[in-house]
Amino acid sequence: MSRPGAIVEMKITTLKAVVVESMNSKCKVVIEADSNSNLQNVIEVTSNFKIDIAKVDYVSSSEIKEIADLPQEVYEKLSRAIILSKVEDFYYSFHKSDKQFDSAFTQLSYGGRVYDEKEMRSLVDSSLDFWLTAGRYNKQFEQQYASYLGVRYSLLTNSGSSANLLAFSALTSPKLGDRRIQQGDEVITVAAGFPTTVTPIIQNGAIPVFLDVDLGTYNIIVDRVESAITPKTKAIMIAHTMGNPFELDKIMEIANKYSLWVVEDNCDALGSKFDGKLTGTYGHIGTSSFYPPHHMTMGEGGAVYTNDPQLKMIIESFRDWGRDCWCPSGCDNSCKKRFGWELGTLPYGYDHKYTYSHIGYNLRVTEMQAAIGVEQLKKVPSFVKARKNNFNQLLEGLKDLSDYFILPRATEKSDPSWFGFILTLRDGVPFTKNEIVQFLESNRIQTRMLFAGNLIRQPAFQNANYRIHGDLTNTDKILKDTFLVGVYPGLTSTMIDYVITKIREFVLKK
């Protein structure tokens, strides 16, 4: 058995020791793990064998000859365990950083990935399966993410922008009857935010109706929403700005009164709560982004979630080429009548797997992305705590500069999981936004604007069809006078102190 022999040799070479001993007529394989490894556990490999990974003394190859009698599936599990142990070694050797913060050299990003050996193990583990499209990790993540949010359904997609596109496109489905959104219908939203909260509205032929936002919370001025509603209004689609929830109780009350759809763009607000309940779960559909600066990451990736089984199936259809079939990958006949359908003008019995009910896309995620997400999701509670701590430290350190800045404030009834610390210059201060931003950037403190500032000023929207309800005075001020610094978990308390020191240094010299 040359292949098992090669694997045995690999085990000896990489892990130094393998012992086989009798254990109630079973075999026990004990493998040494180095000091950096987290392999001190037991992995079930078959009903008859266990691989017990623990530290042992070195033994000679003559003592492990019995291992050749183990089944092939055991060798596969052994090989996988060894590879993953070396991935951990690689992380600790080349990815884990013990560098101390040095204000003269360290770049303080506004956001970024925070990970350890577990994400790398999970990623490599999925690659060893070589199931490149959605598979076991995808299913695991969707179930666990839905459980975390407290919703019935969660569907992975390839980005937060795709999540918004899927969420809105689903509301145009003919399956929704009179409630479907059609070309020329209106959707209430805001211009102060990220483009892809709004672009799906335009891409589907509907008309965004822009309302102004409040300075401080940076969320829609709810008191203006009801007066913006016309017979053409079909939905409200807005984001929880910087992780700060908009007034969900009032929005949902208005939506229910006028039978409007509500899409919560929750991409910047994972872990935020309103009145004790997680955001993204109040409306008909919620969306998330897993791009690196967000609350958790898959590199790229996003999710759409809902409690409505019909919306779930429609979203899935739009994501998966527009197909009518709901069979998961690798399954051919969930409905038990794959060749028993008669839809559209197709002939009776046309293969349901190749029947399409929507003008859809392919916006699926890869298995490797989902594998990273499974481990990242476990860290979300600690990530949220770190973001809150960093935000509160910045607020405490800058609270006496309220004559210069409009400081961020949480919406009433909310518990935000902050995306960033946002500052707006007050009128008449002796410096401009560009001046303080350039000062911070020159001191290695990365800044960002409130995304597009005012969407209607952007080149892409110059010829777009939209309506403004009231004025956008605050939105224009955000465009001119607002910036943010980071609060993500990769920033330590010492780093946050440095940000505070530099902001104060600039302001107090003016």
Side-chain angles (χ1 to χ4, degrees):
M1 299 177 66
S2 59
R3 179 178 174 82
I7 296 175
V8 170
E9 182 63 28
M10 180 171 67
K11 288 195 288 289
I12 298 168
T13 302
T14 57
L15 293 181
K16 298 181 182 178
V18 180
V19 178
V20 177
E21 60 186 12
S22 174
M23 188 173 63
N24 298 327
S25 74
K26 299 179 182 179
C27 275
K28 179 183 178 186
V29 183
V30 185
I31 303 175
E32 181 186 42
D34 63 40
S35 59
N36 284 331
S37 177
N38 286 327
L39 294 178
Q40 307 296 325
N41 57 4
V42 176
I43 304 175
E44 293 281 355
V45 290
T46 70
S47 59
N48 297 321
F49 296 98
K50 286 184 178 180
I51 301 175
D52 185 2
I53 301 172
K55 189 162 185 176
V56 296
D57 294 329
Y58 181 81
V59 296
S60 67
S61 59
S62 62
E63 295 179 74
I64 63 164
K65 56 186 178 182
E66 292 178 54
I67 198 168
D69 296 326
L70 294 176
Q72 183 67 23
E73 61 266 26
V74 175
Y75 290 120
E76 191 276 337
K77 295 288 186 179
L78 282 168
S79 298
R80 187 177 292 253
I82 292 160
I83 291 168
L84 297 182
S85 75
K86 301 313 291 181
V87 169
E88 290 194 13
D89 293 344
F90 190 88
Y91 167 80
Y92 283 104
S93 297
F94 303 111
H95 282 257
K96 182 176 173 58
S97 175
D98 295 321
K99 293 181 180 178
Q100 298 297 310
F101 170 63
D102 186 337
S103 62
F105 298 101
T106 306
Q107 179 76 18
L108 301 187
S109 300
Y110 86 99
R113 56 189 185 168
V114 177
Y115 67 101
D116 58 27
E117 78 283 359
K118 295 181 181 64
E119 283 84 351
M120 293 188 70
R121 278 177 53 93
S122 191
L123 174 61
V124 173
D125 186 47
S126 70
S127 72
L128 294 176
D129 294 341
F130 214 68
W131 188 269
L132 302 180
T133 186
R136 63 184 175 99
Y137 276 109
N138 182 92
K139 182 178 180 180
Q140 181 181 351
F141 182 86
E142 288 182 338
Q143 291 174 343
Q144 291 177 349
Y145 198 58
S147 178
Y148 168 78
L149 292 167
V151 297
R152 292 181 67 183
Y153 309 108
S154 167
L155 296 167
L156 271 172
T157 185
N158 59 6
S159 73
S161 295
S162 293
N164 282 341
L165 178 60
L166 289 170
F168 192 83
S169 297
L171 301 180
T172 70
S173 172
K175 293 178 182 289
L176 297 177
D178 292 340
R179 291 201 68 189
R180 71 177 293 205
I181 297 175
Q182 301 188 65
Q183 291 194 9
D185 286 337
E186 294 185 342
V187 180
I188 292 172
T189 187
V190 301
F194 199 78
T196 54
T197 308
V198 174
T199 49
I201 301 169
I202 297 170
Q203 289 160 340
N204 279 280
I207 300 170
V209 178
F210 292 121
L211 274 65
D212 208 2
V213 298
D214 174 64
L215 294 177
T217 68
Y218 302 95
N219 283 313
I220 192 169
I221 300 175
V222 176
D223 292 345
R224 299 185 183 182
V225 172
E226 193 163 9
S227 62
I229 295 172
T230 72
K232 292 184 176 181
T233 306
K234 287 289 186 71
I236 301 170
M237 184 169 178
I238 45 180
H240 300 290
T241 309
M242 290 291 110
N244 195 16
F246 55 80
E247 295 177 88
L248 276 157
D249 51 353
K250 296 178 182 178
I251 289 293
M252 294 308 301
E253 181 181 358
I254 294 169
N256 291 333
K257 180 178 179 180
Y258 292 94
S259 297
L260 305 179
W261 298 108
V262 174
V263 178
E264 291 180 69
D265 182 336
N266 200 43
C267 291
D268 294 341
L270 181 61
S272 293
K273 292 182 179 180
F274 183 86
D275 202 15
K277 182 181 176 182
L278 286 169
T279 55
T281 66
Y282 280 79
H284 299 91
I285 306 175
T287 63
S288 289
S289 172
F290 305 131
Y291 191 64
H294 289 275
H295 289 65
M296 58 163 282
T297 188
M298 296 180 183
E300 300 286 353
V304 192
Y305 30 99
T306 183
N307 284 308
D308 188 313
Q310 183 183 34
L311 288 177
K312 181 261 186 184
M313 292 185 67
I314 294 171
I315 293 164
E316 197 167 28
S317 174
F318 272 100
R319 183 194 66 181
D320 300 353
W321 308 283
R323 66 178 186 165
D324 199 74
C325 174
W326 56 83
C327 288
S329 181
C331 180
D332 283 346
N333 198 14
S334 298
C335 63
K336 305 303 181 186
K337 59 171 190 173
R338 176 179 169 189
F339 300 103
W341 292 88
E342 187 172 7
L343 298 172
T345 59
L346 293 170
Y348 174 81
Y350 194 82
D351 191 345
H352 193 226
K353 284 184 73 70
Y354 290 93
T355 300
Y356 303 91
S357 54
H358 298 103
I359 306 298
Y361 311 91
N362 178 8
L363 300 176
R364 292 153 61 89
V365 76
T366 69
E367 180 72 346
M368 289 75 77
Q369 290 170 268
I372 298 169
V374 165
E375 291 301 328
Q376 282 275 294
L377 183 56
K378 298 173 185 177
K379 295 179 170 68
V380 166
S382 64
F383 287 167
V384 170
K385 182 178 179 180
R387 286 178 176 273
K388 290 179 179 180
N389 289 341
N390 287 342
F391 179 93
N392 290 334
Q393 186 176 343
L394 281 163
L395 188 62
E396 180 66 23
L398 300 175
K399 65 182 181 181
D400 63 333
L401 299 183
S402 59
D403 288 342
Y404 298 91
F405 299 111
I406 298 172
L407 298 172
R409 70 177 187 279
T411 304
E412 187 178 352
K413 299 183 184 179
S414 76
D415 180 15
S417 172
W418 296 97
F419 179 81
F421 191 89
I422 191 164
L423 292 164
T424 299
L425 277 60
R426 291 195 179 275
D427 294 340
V429 296
F431 54 89
T432 67
K433 177 187 72 175
N434 286 349
E435 287 173 341
I436 187 169
V437 162
Q438 289 172 11
F439 173 82
L440 293 174
E441 295 277 351
S442 69
N443 283 278
R444 294 159 299 284
I445 298 170
Q446 193 176 52
T447 64
R448 286 292 185 268
M449 305 301 101
L450 180 47
F451 307 128
N454 183 347
L455 284 172
I456 68 171
R457 310 290 186 191
Q458 294 283 345
F461 287 79
Q462 293 304 297
N463 297 313
N465 188 13
Y466 59 81
R467 180 167 71 86
I468 300 172
H469 178 72
D471 62 71
L472 298 180
T473 302
N474 292 343
T475 303
D476 277 329
K477 182 167 179 59
I478 288 168
L479 176 72
K480 177 176 177 288
D481 289 332
T482 297
F483 70 98
L484 64 95
V485 294
V487 299
Y488 87 108
L491 298 173
T492 65
S493 179
T494 302
M495 294 173 180
I496 295 293
D497 275 338
Y498 176 72
V499 175
I500 293 169
T501 298
K502 286 300 173 183
I503 292 175
R504 295 182 64 83
E505 176 185 326
F506 176 86
V507 171
L508 298 178
K509 283 183 178 179
K510 295 295 180 177

